[in-house]
Amino acid sequence: MSHNSLGDRLRMARKKKDITREQEAEKINRSVSTISRFENYNALNLSLHKLVQICAGNGTSFFNVLTDGNGDLVPLTAGGSVVLVNNDLSQLSDF
């Protein structure tokens, strides 16, 4: 089973931190159903802002979700796209 969809990677990151969907939803002021959609419907396009918010909500580095641990971007399967507004990731170094 491949875990290369963005939703899969977000779910794995949340579970690795032992955080429930309810806890994550509360941290980022979203509904549990929204967290579920983020994790389960890989056709959902997330804005960079929402993606960073989710990572902050589950205590995971933004880069850990999108990279393989060596700093190389993980290829995401179809539908797991991230919408980057200006392609400048330098401002996200703290995430």
Side-chain angles (χ1 to χ4, degrees):
M1 172 192 241
S2 173
H3 294 287
N4 284 340
S5 75
L6 183 55
D8 288 340
R9 295 184 63 79
L10 290 171
R11 182 183 317 101
M12 287 187 313
R14 177 181 57 76
K15 287 184 174 186
K16 185 175 182 181
K17 296 287 185 166
D18 199 30
I19 296 173
T20 66
R21 285 183 179 155
E22 290 80 6
Q23 291 169 321
E24 184 173 20
E26 186 175 323
K27 285 182 180 184
I28 66 170
N29 199 28
R30 300 276 180 177
S31 70
V32 174
S33 63
T34 297
I35 301 300
S36 179
R37 279 197 332 262
F38 289 158
E39 292 180 355
N40 292 314
Y41 299 105
N42 298 322
L44 178 66
N45 289 323
L46 295 175
S47 67
L48 182 57
H49 174 76
K50 285 181 186 174
L51 179 59
V52 169
Q53 221 180 12
I54 293 166
C55 291
N58 67 28
T60 300
S61 164
F62 167 79
F63 287 105
N64 284 348
V65 172
L66 296 179
T67 63
D68 63 4
N70 297 318
D72 296 322
L73 287 175
V74 174
L76 298 172
T77 57
S81 60
V82 179
V83 178
L84 297 178
V85 176
N86 63 11
N87 291 330
D88 180 11
L89 299 180
S90 61
Q91 61 187 324
L92 299 174
S93 61
D94 293 335
F95 295 100

